[in-house]
Amino acid sequence: MVKLNKIAFCGASMIALATPAYAQQAEPGVNDAADIIVSARRRDERLQDVPSVVNAIPAETIAKLNIQDAKELQSLVPGLQLRSEANGIGASGQLRGIQYDINSSASPSVAFYLNDAPIGANVMLGQMFDIGQVEVLRGPQGTLRGASVPSGSITYTTRKASLAEVGASGSVSYSDAHHINVNAALGIPLIKDMLAVRVAGVYDKNRGNLVTSNAPISTATFANPQIAQPYAKTYAGRVSAVFQPTDWLKVEGMYQHQDYKSGGFDQYASFSLVQPSATPSPVLITPGDFRSIWESSRVAHSVFNTYNWRGEVRFAGQKLVYQGSHNSFVNDSKVNQDVANFRSNFDFYQTNRTVSKDNSHEIRLQNEERVAGLFDYIVGYYHTDAATDIDLIQETPVALPGFLGGGIQAVAQTPITRNRDGKNSENAIFGNVTAYIGDKLQISAGARHIKAHSPRTLLVIGANSVLFDAGGDDKAWIYTGSVQYKVNQDLMIYASTGTSFRGGPSIFNSAIVKSPRQLSFLNLGNEKSTSYEVGFKTSWLDNRLIFNFALYHQKFDNFPYKISNGVYFLDYAFVNNGLVPSVGNSAQFGASVPVTVKGIEAELSWRASDRFNFGVVASYSDGQIKNGVIPCNDLNGDNVADTATTAPSVAQLQAAYGANNIGSCNVSQRSAQQSPFSATAQAEYKHPVSDRLEFFARGLFTYYGASKVDPTLSFDDLGSYGLFNLFGGLRASDGSWEVNLFARNLFNTVKATRFTVPQATSFQELQPPTFRTTAGTSFTSTYSQVTTNLPREFGINLRIALGSR
């Protein structure tokens, strides 16, 4: 299959494919990438005139490729990785060779925006509906919009109601994976040319990661239900309005509600598949089996409410913009903690309730008519504040010794609450000026001053209060600059630079006792980065052929690296109102490390004819940690990470780490787990059947190069592979309807993109002779947790559109 994938990609590369932006059409039959309009620099301009790498994905591309889940956008944008956690809380985006984990508590490395206002990734990385355009902006951001981020921004713009014409659209999709998606939208001008509203909604039901339990359905009572099939359900709706009583005043508002429920299992496979010397599993499970050893599922329920508003006033060739937003989020989840299934008909849990609210306000002034015929400018003020409250109940089983049967005698419950003395907040002023020197040369410079506040935070664990984060204030300046030169109407060259700043995070970890070394892996320093980029953008053959290329180099100081696989450490648990040592295992540790990233990004597209277009987009990002100290399993003290196939005992941890409680290793390794190289190829052919009807065929091939995945593990290396999606059907020549048959992952390529060490369950064991004391111990399974891409899926999609679209 790997050979077949390489042949498929080489063939697609030779003929090259349409970029995501290239698929935008002003009308049927018009397909010109050179005229794509984006707002990357807070004003509408041609994509080919922007001195940076931008991937634009318009509504038509989203519809043509039947993209429903926003995470599927990563199949169109090489180097982009989008992820949502199964608990319904965490979500993140990654770009340009660095890893980001929402559980690090660090500010995002990639920012998300909805209708020009900042928004959490967990809101956006669900079911998409009624989206007008998505733009992926690469490189440091912050002098023009929102927060300072080192890697990029993703902006989503919803469709707006037409002030002149009624419009409606709808889509129904069903697949053999029991996935159904229904979405619809209706726009009505209530007062022609003055006031219009648009209502849109989506219902989606699917089987999540498709993983089912390998354990038999039991009659035992579980706190979480046993289910035969995993599930994920989304109900979402949006109402928006546009009011424009005069040419100089425009007001927009939006409210969106999303309700997401899920139940499912973590996926497992036998560790002996990657470590032949390991103990064989009682039942062999492969990644392609989509099975779990859990007996009861995790459950999660998330509710999002989003308010977004905007006002524009135009005067004397200038535009004053106010953009505001309010977002609220409530999540309730219960997760099975018996990850090794050490007892049949028994599970224990971590219960989580997270409540989050955030607000943003931005006011900016910018020109619409060029100042003195030479300058464009933007100046503004930005404020955001956020508060997140977390309440956990952590269960710890207490068991009899093995020689007495090992039965569960009790389950200790420890409530954990995170309390803050206020909100996280940021206030900033920013500005950007672009000078036009003649018709060919542009010089742009921007700056932003950041003042951020983090409140003191306490963890209340049982009856004890522990300082989690001392809080504090940070101030920083960031800068951007670019020079671009238009050699002729077909060639533009540019060079740019940018800096970024992120305040040091405090990683949430429920360990009751923390050593100075543990604290150094939890309270991380402020991050700064500097990036340099050079590139060119070209268009040929009357804009039918596009070729763009960029090189970049970025250096990070104090990058907040978070481990992704748990390490063993000396932990403590409350039992009978006393602290007793136990074996802890957690990935909630990180480190401040130096990172250097070098990369290349390129795209090539060609509109061969009005019926056929094709192209390729590619990205290579080599991010390296340079001599950084990170938490690790190092029981032999050689400063090199051990491959721990069984959990150590409390005595082993005490002997290896002493008062440090945890191991550390000095590493030089990759800073991201995804492949450094990825590429996408897509093509479309259409042929008229009649004056009103046409046949179409579309293909999308996504290629991932080889990856080390977790560099600290020697067994989880991943070879290169590709995924091919095929679409075909009939559509009206005017685009008013379409019937689309699709096959996702046509060749049924299933790869384990993550393979952990064998999972271990920690618990307390009563100690003889009094049985009034306990000791921490653990049970190690013969199975690893894995993550795979989804298998082949066949389906059908019907779309209709009437009036304004």
Side-chain angles (χ1 to χ4, degrees), residues 488-632:
N488 55 48
Q489 63 179 1
D490 295 321
L491 173 62
M492 184 266 281
I493 59 176
Y494 71 89
S496 63
T497 184
T499 63
S500 70
F501 170 85
R502 291 192 291 170
S506 292
I507 299 175
F508 180 80
N509 187 290
S510 59
I512 297 170
V513 177
K514 299 181 177 72
S515 69
R517 178 182 287 179
Q518 283 173 287
L519 290 173
S520 73
F521 291 147
L522 296 174
N523 300 316
L524 309 185
N526 292 340
E527 176 208 81
K528 296 180 180 180
S529 82
T530 302
S531 174
Y532 301 95
E533 181 177 325
V534 295
F536 61 80
K537 293 188 173 184
T538 64
S539 58
W540 308 93
L541 304 177
D542 193 24
N543 293 332
R544 300 171 73 92
L545 177 65
I546 301 295
F547 179 54
N548 299 332
F549 182 86
L551 291 167
Y552 66 89
H553 178 280
Q554 190 166 11
K555 185 176 181 180
F556 292 82
D557 295 323
N558 287 333
F559 171 75
Y561 175 80
K562 183 184 172 297
I563 62 174
S564 57
N565 284 285
V567 296
Y568 294 105
F569 64 98
L570 188 64
D571 198 7
Y572 291 83
F574 279 112
V575 179
N576 296 328
N577 295 320
L579 278 174
V580 295
S582 64
V583 177
N585 183 275
S586 176
Q588 283 300 99
F589 293 103
S592 297
V593 296
V595 170
T596 299
V597 184
K598 301 174 183 178
I600 301 172
E601 291 160 343
E603 57 181 294
L604 174 67
S605 65
W606 182 30
R607 178 163 55 92
S609 69
D610 291 338
R611 296 183 182 181
F612 186 45
N613 60 73
F614 43 76
V616 65
V617 191
S619 171
Y620 178 81
S621 295
D622 181 20
Q624 296 284 339
I625 297 175
K626 302 290 187 179
N627 198 29
V629 178
I630 67 171
C632 66

Side-chain angles (χ1 to χ4, degrees), residues 258-477:
Q258 298 165 266
D259 189 297
Y260 173 77
K261 295 180 180 178
S262 67
F265 308 90
D266 282 4
Q267 188 176 357
Y268 282 73
S270 299
F271 184 61
S272 58
L273 293 173
V274 293
Q275 196 77 290
S277 61
T279 303
S281 304
V283 177
L284 182 69
I285 301 177
T286 70
D289 293 332
F290 290 90
R291 303 290 280 176
S292 177
I293 65 173
W294 286 10
E295 292 182 313
S296 61
S297 69
R298 71 167 71 239
V299 292
H301 182 199
S302 299
V303 177
F304 306 88
N305 287 290
T306 302
Y307 301 84
N308 187 291
W309 57 90
R310 179 187 181 92
E312 297 180 3
V313 176
R314 290 175 167 82
F315 60 95
Q318 315 302 306
K319 182 169 71 171
L320 181 66
V321 179
Y322 165 62
Q323 179 74 58
S325 70
H326 170 76
N327 306 289
S328 66
F329 164 61
V330 178
N331 172 271
D332 291 287
S333 63
K334 184 173 284 188
V335 182
N336 185 356
Q337 297 295 286
D338 186 9
V339 295
N341 196 25
F342 88 114
R343 290 290 185 273
S344 297
N345 298 324
F346 168 80
D347 281 328
F348 61 100
Y349 304 89
Q350 181 185 86
T351 303
N352 182 312
R353 181 173 178 82
T354 299
V355 178
S356 176
K357 295 181 179 181
D358 65 80
N359 304 281
S360 73
H361 304 278
E362 180 184 273
I363 185 167
R364 70 178 189 269
L365 179 67
Q366 62 188 83
N367 66 300
E368 291 195 302
E369 298 176 5
R370 193 164 295 169
V371 179
L374 295 175
F375 299 100
D376 284 336
Y377 75 90
I378 296 177
V379 293
Y381 165 78
Y382 172 82
H383 167 84
T384 184
D385 59 71
T388 302
D389 296 321
I390 299 175
D391 292 288
L392 302 176
I393 297 178
Q394 183 70 54
E395 296 184 339
T396 304
V398 180
L400 287 170
F403 69 87
L404 293 179
I408 304 299
Q409 296 303 293
V411 176
Q413 291 191 336
T414 303
I416 303 173
T417 301
R418 186 170 73 174
N419 292 335
R420 293 177 179 268
D421 292 338
K423 299 179 179 180
N424 286 319
S425 64
E426 178 182 320
N427 293 280
I429 55 173
F430 61 92
N432 195 89
V433 176
T434 300
Y436 299 83
I437 304 172
D439 296 331
K440 296 186 175 183
L441 180 64
Q442 293 182 30
I443 300 175
S444 180
R448 180 188 189 91
H449 182 260
I450 300 167
K451 184 178 180 181
H453 171 71
S454 175
R456 188 178 72 118
T457 306
L458 299 175
L459 285 183
V460 181
I461 305 173
N464 299 274
S465 183
V466 179
L467 180 65
F468 169 63
D469 183 358
D473 297 299
D474 289 308
K475 295 181 180 180
W477 280 96

Side-chain angles (χ1 to χ4, degrees), residues 57-67 73 128 131-134:
I57 309 168
E60 186 165 358
T61 298
I62 295 171
K64 281 183 173 182
L65 299 178
N66 196 25
I67 295 174
L73 294 174
M128 288 200 310
I131 293 294
Q133 183 155 292
V134 180

